[in-house]
Amino acid sequence: MLKNRIYLLLMCILMSCVAVSSCSFSKNEDTQQSSEKKSKKKSKKKEDKNKKSIDESDINEDKDDEEAVKETLPPKKDSADYSEVKQQLSDEINDCLSQDKVMFTLTFTEGADSWSWEIIKETHDGADYYYYAPIDDPCGNTRVLVVEDYVLISTDYGGTWTATTGSYGDDTIKTYYQYINYLSFLYAAIENGSDVKLNDGGLNRHVMVINKKEAEKLDTDPVKLGIIDDAAKLKAPMAYEENNQMLKKFDSDNSKTYVFGPINSEFSIMESVRDENGMELYYTIITRVPNEVINEVEMMPLDGLYNGIKNPK
């Protein structure tokens, strides 16, 4: 009986130890699993943090690359950036077309050879008068007077005049419209995105280089460009269009450099035609004579000249 009690007591002690051991093992296992979970979470957080850091680094590098590219590329100017020079061109066109009396001097130079001439256009009683006079020209004794469709020519400095049906009349009118053509051409080039060196040399003179590909795309219609509101202001549209085609004509890989703008009270344009190496082949300069100066250089109004020729005393 005592033996059995001792045996039962030992079994109880043994079972208690087993239970305690089992609980301890279970607790240790839970603690280990919990530690592993925490470790995994920390590791995942660290990975996510490192990944985020790498992504941010890549983004910053991309931004730096973009900024570097922006710095190396030349700034692209919009047409609006040249609003002042566009306004100059537009104002000059409108003023020229609105005046009853306009005068230009033109000079063409090729190498050592140079020719100059004057063009005067006046409006009297609704009729347009054009007068052409060469200066320092082999044909310097020639004068041409155009009144509507009537063309008179003199080969003795205006001493005697005869009617002619040659191309003198058309050429005189086209020469007058060259100025308007140049201004519209430059305006259209700016609208098309051509670059302009503003106030080059500090003389309020602007510089623009145009090649054949750029010129071919230009629409120089002053109405479409918004410069004038009525096509009827161009009283010789065919002369204007012929000049326009000449401006778009290029030989080989030539380019054209334009220097233009006001100096004091004069507005002038120089067109320099250059070869593929940038060497100047020839150039043309056209300058508008200030209105207050015209009367000083003109002998008499053109209607008075015309009436004197038609009705000599």
Side-chain angles (χ1 to χ4, degrees):
M1 188 71 177
L2 179 62
K3 185 178 179 180
N4 289 337
R5 287 179 180 176
I6 293 170
Y7 178 76
L8 288 172
L9 179 61
L10 290 172
M11 287 298 293
C12 287
I13 293 170
L14 180 63
M15 290 301 294
S16 297
C17 289
V18 170
V20 169
S21 175
S22 176
C23 289
S24 176
F25 176 79
S26 177
K27 185 176 182 181
N28 288 339
E29 187 177 8
D30 290 342
T31 303
Q32 185 177 359
Q33 288 179 353
S34 177
S35 298
E36 287 178 356
K37 287 180 180 179
K38 288 180 179 179
S39 177
K40 285 181 180 178
K41 286 182 179 178
K42 287 181 179 179
S43 177
K44 190 173 185 304
K45 285 182 180 179
K46 187 174 182 181
E47 287 177 2
D48 292 342
K49 186 176 181 181
N50 289 339
K51 185 177 180 182
K52 184 178 180 182
S53 178
I54 291 171
D55 291 342
E56 289 178 351
S57 176
D58 290 341
I59 291 170
N60 290 334
E61 286 181 5
D62 290 341
K63 286 182 178 178
D64 291 341
D65 291 341
E66 289 176 5
E67 291 299 324
V69 170
K70 286 179 182 178
E71 288 178 3
T72 56
L73 289 174
K76 187 174 181 181
K77 290 220 173 196
D78 186 80
S79 159
D81 295 330
Y82 300 123
S83 57
E84 186 175 342
V85 68
K86 284 170 57 183
Q87 193 62 52
Q88 280 184 345
L89 296 170
S90 177
D91 290 346
E92 187 64 20
I93 290 172
N94 279 283
D95 185 69
C96 188
L97 293 174
S98 66
Q99 295 293 329
D100 289 334
K101 184 180 290 189
V102 181
M103 178 178 178
F104 306 114
T105 60
L106 297 93
T107 299
F108 176 82
T109 301
E110 184 174 12
D113 298 322
S114 183
W115 300 269
S116 299
W117 53 95
E118 295 174 344
I119 293 288
I120 301 174
K121 181 250 183 183
E122 295 178 8
T123 302
H124 299 280
D125 298 326
D128 292 327
Y129 295 72
Y130 299 88
Y131 181 79
Y132 164 88
I135 308 168
D136 300 327
D137 186 283
C139 299
N141 59 337
T142 303
R143 303 287 184 272
V144 177
L145 179 62
V146 182
V147 184
E148 301 297 328
D149 296 327
Y150 195 70
V151 183
L152 295 165
I153 186 170
S154 170
T155 56
D156 58 358
Y157 301 95
T160 57
W161 295 82
T162 57
T164 180
T165 57
S167 63
Y168 291 103
D170 290 338
D171 291 344
T172 298
I173 295 173
K174 282 194 294 184
T175 302
Y176 163 77
Y177 273 99
Q178 274 186 6
Y179 187 74
I180 309 296
N181 279 103
Y182 277 128
L183 295 172
S184 299
F185 185 76
L186 294 170
Y187 190 103
I190 296 173
E191 282 285 273
N192 194 55
S194 294
D195 190 33
V196 185
K197 292 182 181 178
L198 299 175
N199 195 26
D200 191 60
L203 297 174
N204 200 29
R205 307 284 284 166
H206 316 305
V207 179
M208 184 189 302
V209 179
I210 300 176
N211 58 39
K212 181 178 181 180
K213 188 176 180 181
E214 291 173 322
E216 286 175 344
K217 297 185 293 184
L218 300 182
D219 186 345
T220 63
D221 186 330
V223 176
K224 292 181 180 178
L225 289 170
I227 299 173
I228 62 174
D229 56 6
D230 186 1
K233 291 181 179 180
L234 289 176
K235 297 183 180 180
M238 292 193 65
Y240 180 87
E241 183 54 34
E242 286 182 33
N243 286 343
N244 184 45
Q245 295 305 316
M246 288 299 297
L247 282 173
K248 293 184 177 183
K249 185 177 180 181
F250 285 72
D251 295 328
S252 185
D253 295 324
N254 292 355
S255 64
K256 296 180 180 180
T257 298
Y258 294 90
V259 182
F260 61 98
I263 293 183
N264 298 324
S265 57
E266 293 184 344
F267 196 103
S268 69
I269 307 160
M270 183 185 80
E271 178 191 61
S272 173
V273 178
R274 309 190 178 203
D275 63 19
E276 62 273 16
N277 298 316
M279 297 296 291
E280 186 173 72
L281 301 174
Y282 53 87
Y283 66 86
T284 302
I285 299 175
I286 180 167
T287 302
R288 181 179 175 187
V289 177
N291 290 359
E292 59 270 18
V293 178
I294 298 177
N295 292 332
E296 297 176 9
V297 298
E298 187 183 33
M299 292 181 294
M300 69 174 70
L302 296 183
D303 61 338
L305 175 62
Y306 177 71
N307 291 330
I309 296 169
K310 293 292 290 181
N311 304 296
K313 293 181 180 180

